[in-house]
Structure formats: C-alpha cells, structure tokens
Amino acid sequence: MTGSTAAQHSVLEDFDRDGYVIFRDVLDAELIKEVHGHVEWLQRKHPELRPEQLGHELLADDPFWVRLVSDDRLLDIAELFVGGDIALFASHYILKPAYSGQAVLWHQDGAFWPLEPMRVVTLWLAADHSTPENGCVRVIPGSHKQDFSEMRDSTEVDNVFGKEIAVDVDESEAVDMVLRPGDVEVHHPNIVHGSGPNTSPNRRCGLTIRYIPTSTLITEEQPYPSAFWLRGDRGTVNEYQPQPRYTEGKHFPFRDAPAWS
C-alpha cells in the first residue's frame, strides 16, 4: 500500500462516518483517454444497448476492461476497504449521453447483489467531468448505517434500473459527487445514492467497479460472468474467469495489449 498510516486512518474514519470518500487524480490522462476510446468502441460493438447499460456481462472477453480494473492504483484503494485478497465482483459503465441520459433513482447497491457476506466496496471512476448539470452521483451521508430497505418498481421517470428505494429520502441532505476525469469516489454497499438525468450538452461517463475480498461468496452462477481474481490469496469460495487474451482485430486496442496477448 502507498500513503502514510495516518492518512489511511483518516480516510477510513471519513468512510466510517459518511459512507463515502473521494480520491483525486488517481489515474493518468493517457489511461483515461483509452477509457474514452474503449467506451466508444463498446457502443459501436453493442448498438442494441443503451449507453447506461454497458454492464458486467461484457467483461469476460474484454482484455482492456480487465486490465483497467486490475490497475494497481485502483487495487491499492480497494485494499484499504476489503483487505489484500481482492477479487472483482462486477463492473459497469454508466454513460449518460448529452441531453438524454437516464436518471438513477435512489437505491442501495447491496440490495441487488448475490454476496455473502455483504463485504464489498464500490469504486466509481470518473471518465468525464461529473457535475450536477450532467447527472453526477448524489449520496446521503451516513445512510450506510441503516439496513437495506425494500425496493419498488418506478417507471414514472425514465431511469436506469426501473426501481427505487421504498422509503422517503430527504434530498436536502444529498451531497453531489463533483469529479474530474481520473478521480475516484468510493462508497459503501448500504449508502443511499442516485443521480439525476443528463439534460446538459456534456456527456457524463463513469465506471463502477465492485471489489470483494476473496472470502466473500458470490451466491449465483460460478464462475460469475465478471468474477476475476486480482490480488493476494485466491481463496476457495469462488471460481473465477480466466484472464482474457488480447486478439488484434477482435478486442479494443490499447497500449498494454502486448502483455495481454
């Protein structure tokens, strides 16, 4: 791990109090440029999907995506929260196009996930500038200390999941996650969060990355489509996808591709 023990302790104190924390300038501009290219490549390859729905089922045969979530700078952050034995559970681009990007209604991530125990952390990597105008993530600080609430169907507003949390949310308490490309916001699986639609002229793209310790069981199909062992002890509770090999002409080309061939 990098960084002082005192700094790490401060980060964990903030996370324990608020349920989220922000790390600035985690990834370099060259890699973020590749992320932009990857997203555009995925959109061309999967025109049948809305740009908010470039999800985990696409990951197993995507060397760049696995390279990205394996980046040591991201794993070092994840290690603070889940320890040194790390696997990927899921990852999902939520790309909100200009003027028409869908909202994400208030929810708690862990309410959707087949994990036992619910020891998991989300890293939200900003690929674009993320602002209130283009539908940035909003969180309710401290709400991670409550249990999971029921979800209900909601189709009155065009939204990504078609569901929302079945309790009233005091939106006056919400904090906007204003991020620059390369910044990372980390949040707890219980925190109540969401985001508005993008009615601005600026695209908003972020990549969610869900890391688990290798001791957390994925209770659905094995190996799960996006389950990859990434660092430390592999553990015995899950099967993992093999590392995809890069094939020119088939996969998104990237600077580290030769090492993945």
Side-chain angles (χ1 to χ4, degrees):
M1 287 297 302
T2 58
S4 70
T5 301
Q8 293 174 15
H9 184 69
S10 176
V11 165
L12 292 175
E13 281 189 335
D14 291 348
F15 186 79
D16 183 63
R17 181 189 66 238
D18 298 327
Y20 75 94
V21 68
I22 292 173
F23 294 80
R24 299 292 184 186
D25 301 317
V26 175
L27 297 187
D28 59 276
E30 187 174 358
L31 183 52
I32 292 299
K33 184 177 179 181
E34 288 192 310
V35 171
H36 291 169
H38 183 233
V39 167
E40 291 158 9
W41 178 83
L42 284 170
Q43 287 186 275
R44 290 193 300 271
K45 188 176 181 182
H46 298 284
E48 77 281 5
L49 297 177
R50 275 199 62 98
E52 297 93 346
Q53 299 290 352
L54 299 172
H56 72 278
E57 69 280 354
L58 307 178
L59 210 157
D61 188 33
D62 194 320
F64 175 76
W65 202 328
V66 179
R67 177 263 176 267
L68 179 59
V69 301
S70 303
D71 192 284
D72 282 333
R73 291 165 292 186
L74 299 175
L75 294 181
D76 284 349
I77 292 173
E79 186 170 327
L80 281 171
F81 301 94
V82 299
D85 304 323
I86 305 172
L88 179 73
F89 163 57
S91 184
H92 189 138
Y93 282 109
I94 302 181
L95 187 160
K96 298 185 181 185
Y99 301 115
S100 62
Q102 292 177 325
V104 179
L105 304 184
W106 296 110
H107 68 285
Q108 296 164 292
D109 287 338
F112 295 100
W113 292 341
L115 300 174
E116 181 60 43
M118 190 55 65
R119 190 169 177 217
V120 55
V121 70
T122 293
L123 273 62
W124 199 99
L125 169 65
D128 298 331
H129 288 277
S130 187
T131 67
E133 290 74 26
N134 68 3
C136 69
V137 174
R138 310 181 75 209
V139 305
I140 306 297
S143 59
H144 65 298
K145 297 183 179 180
Q146 64 192 46
D147 292 334
F148 293 127
S149 299
E150 293 292 323
M151 299 293 294
R152 62 190 173 204
D153 293 337
S154 181
T155 56
E156 293 180 4
V157 174
D158 191 25
N159 70 93
V160 172
F161 298 134
K163 292 181 179 293
E164 66 179 347
I165 198 169
V167 296
D168 291 333
V169 175
D170 184 352
E171 297 194 19
S172 69
E173 298 180 357
V175 176
D176 293 321
M177 300 292 101
V178 178
L179 305 172
R180 302 183 298 267
D183 289 350
V184 171
E185 181 265 335
V186 182
H187 59 257
H188 191 282
N190 290 52
I191 198 168
V192 176
H193 65 292
S195 61
N198 182 9
T199 58
S200 82
N202 302 309
R203 186 188 77 170
R204 194 228 69 176
C205 182
L207 178 67
T208 63
I209 314 171
R210 327 293 193 171
Y211 294 108
I212 57 175
T214 57
S215 57
T216 287
L217 172 66
I218 302 171
T219 61
E220 291 187 354
E221 61 182 298
Q222 292 275 352
Y224 198 68
S226 53
F228 288 86
W229 169 59
L230 302 178
R231 176 181 283 184
D233 189 326
R234 190 182 182 97
T236 60
V237 300
N238 296 312
E239 298 176 40
Y240 296 107
Q241 298 287 348
Q243 179 175 296
R245 311 311 304 177
Y246 174 76
T247 301
E248 186 175 357
K250 177 183 179 183
H251 297 121
F252 172 71
F254 58 106
R255 57 181 165 167
D256 293 335
W260 291 74
S261 298

